Amino acid sequence: MSLKPVRVALAGAGAFGEKHLDALQLIEGVSVTSLVGRQLEPTQAIAARYGIGHACTNLADTLARDDVDAVILCTPTQMHAAQALQCMASGRHVEVEIPLADSLADAEAVLAMQQETGLVCMVGHTRRFNPSHQWVHHRITAGDFAIQQMDVQTYFFRRRNMNAKGDPRSWTDHLLWHHAAHTVDLFAWQTGEPIVAANVLAGPLHPELGIAMDMSIQLKSAGGAICTLSLSFNNEGPLGTFFRYIGTTGTYLARYDDLFTGKDERIDVSAVDVSMNGIELQDREFIAAIREGHAPNASVAQVLPCYRTLHALEQQLT
């Protein structure tokens, strides 16, 4: 039986936007009908490469079209909340790349709009979908494993405003509201418990970017599990986020979509889901929620507690 077609627009034709375009090509019945970028010529070039018929530099132009059912936002962080509201106001489902917002007030406004419209509004908390973290989650929900501590390192070498492809960025990234959001949400999701204590220390501000380049965060769940998160834009070494789950019946190391034991023995997670690509699985969840009319995993309502915790941490830094 053929699946209901879903016509998607993507806003933000940068490094992460292309990851979503690659993923959407793998989902049956999905077509990308419009691409929004900051500069027209590069956006047109990417649209041509992916066979997208419309390219523009203004989200409003895309929302004025009649061939768009849903929008994926891969735009700068500071635009996420306002654009999510804009999409839902136009009657479109929306998937917002992480973070949902860079303030609690904006995140709550997006939730209010989702509840008012009943549309699907999902946030790109990809760690919920990586096969490595799903494997651990299945052990937890089966009662075979309980987290005692998570030790997480999020490291980049980004002393200049560059994106994942090494191109100049038009906006400034943030360790707390963007990169810490992944782990704060993951810790709460994996433990199944609210975060009841959160502490943060920040290093010196970058003289030009005006942001902390190093940060240390401690979390505690209602059941007593703890999490230690170290973040840096100053790290000259392996880049990315590395998770160590220390639990009652084992230790696991998660590196994006791969998983290892505490002794660095690879665990086969290829059968966890239909793909080994966390972005593809995230997009599949968004499309399924639209087709089936249910709230997706990582819905705005589910992830809002993460943004409340980030807000509380930010208050400690002011």
Side-chain angles (χ1 to χ4, degrees):
M1 184 175 64
S2 62
L3 296 171
K4 173 186 173 183
V6 179
R7 301 165 299 176
V8 177
L10 187 136
F16 222 78
E18 290 193 44
K19 291 185 179 183
H20 281 278
L21 292 176
D22 290 336
L24 292 168
Q25 289 183 322
L26 303 173
I27 305 175
E28 183 182 351
V30 172
S31 58
V32 180
T33 55
S34 182
L35 183 66
V36 187
R38 186 166 58 94
Q39 297 176 309
L40 186 57
E41 286 191 11
T43 305
Q44 289 174 327
I46 295 171
R49 190 178 349 132
Y50 285 92
I52 302 168
H54 178 255
C56 64
T57 59
N58 191 328
L59 179 60
D61 292 342
T62 288
L63 297 178
R65 298 175 63 85
D66 61 4
D67 61 352
V68 174
D69 303 310
V71 181
I72 296 177
L73 298 175
C74 300
T75 47
T77 293
Q78 295 80 4
M79 303 170 72
H80 285 182
Q83 288 184 331
L85 295 173
Q86 185 181 1
C87 291
M88 287 187 285
S90 76
R92 272 48 175 243
H93 306 287
V94 63
E95 178 184 354
V96 190
E97 254 312 327
I98 194 170
L100 171 62
D102 57 3
S103 76
L104 179 58
D106 284 350
E108 289 176 334
V110 175
L111 175 60
M113 175 67 85
Q114 187 281 319
Q115 292 174 332
E116 178 183 336
T117 63
L119 293 163
V120 174
C121 182
M122 175 179 171
V123 189
H125 285 259
T126 316
R127 300 297 167 258
R128 292 181 179 223
F129 300 95
N130 291 115
S132 53
H133 298 295
Q134 283 201 58
W135 189 94
V136 174
H137 192 71
H138 292 334
R139 289 214 66 199
I140 293 170
T141 55
D144 298 329
F145 179 74
I147 295 171
Q148 294 169 317
Q149 180 176 179
M150 282 177 61
D151 184 79
V152 185
Q153 299 173 329
T154 295
Y155 290 158
F156 302 95
F157 187 62
R158 195 174 289 167
R159 293 177 184 171
R160 293 182 297 153
N161 227 4
M162 311 294 281
N163 68 14
K165 296 195 317 185
D167 297 328
R169 262 194 173 134
S170 62
W171 55 284
T172 303
D173 204 356
H174 201 282
L175 287 177
L176 179 64
W177 286 96
H178 179 187
H179 297 287
H182 281 293
T183 297
V184 171
D185 178 69
L186 181 68
F187 178 61
W189 183 64
Q190 294 288 43
T191 61
E193 300 167 345
I195 293 170
V196 296
N199 305 304
V200 61
L201 293 173
L205 299 183
H206 189 281
E208 297 174 5
L209 300 178
I211 60 171
M213 299 291 283
D214 293 275
M215 196 169 287
S216 176
I217 293 174
Q218 293 177 309
L219 306 170
K220 186 175 184 178
S221 74
I226 62 172
C227 176
T228 301
L229 169 60
S230 171
L231 307 106
S232 181
F233 283 147
N234 278 321
N235 178 65
E236 290 192 80
L239 307 181
T241 303
F242 310 98
F243 301 81
R244 179 182 293 269
Y245 289 98
I246 300 172
T248 51
T249 55
T251 295
Y252 304 108
L253 307 175
R255 299 163 185 154
Y256 289 97
D257 296 312
D258 298 317
L259 187 67
F260 303 83
T261 69
K263 297 178 181 178
D264 224 26
E265 302 159 327
R266 181 180 289 273
I267 297 172
D268 183 6
V269 295
S270 61
V272 168
D273 213 322
V274 297
S275 169
M276 283 287 291
N277 184 332
I279 301 298
E280 177 191 340
L281 295 174
Q282 172 184 316
D283 288 347
R284 285 183 178 276
E285 177 73 4
F286 179 51
I287 299 302
I290 293 170
R291 285 173 167 157
E292 299 165 14
H294 64 71
N297 184 11
S299 69
V300 61
Q302 290 177 13
V303 303
L304 195 69
C306 163
Y307 294 90
R308 293 194 178 107
T309 298
L310 296 178
H311 173 76
L313 291 169
E314 185 177 63
Q315 298 308 298
Q316 296 178 28
L317 297 174
T318 57

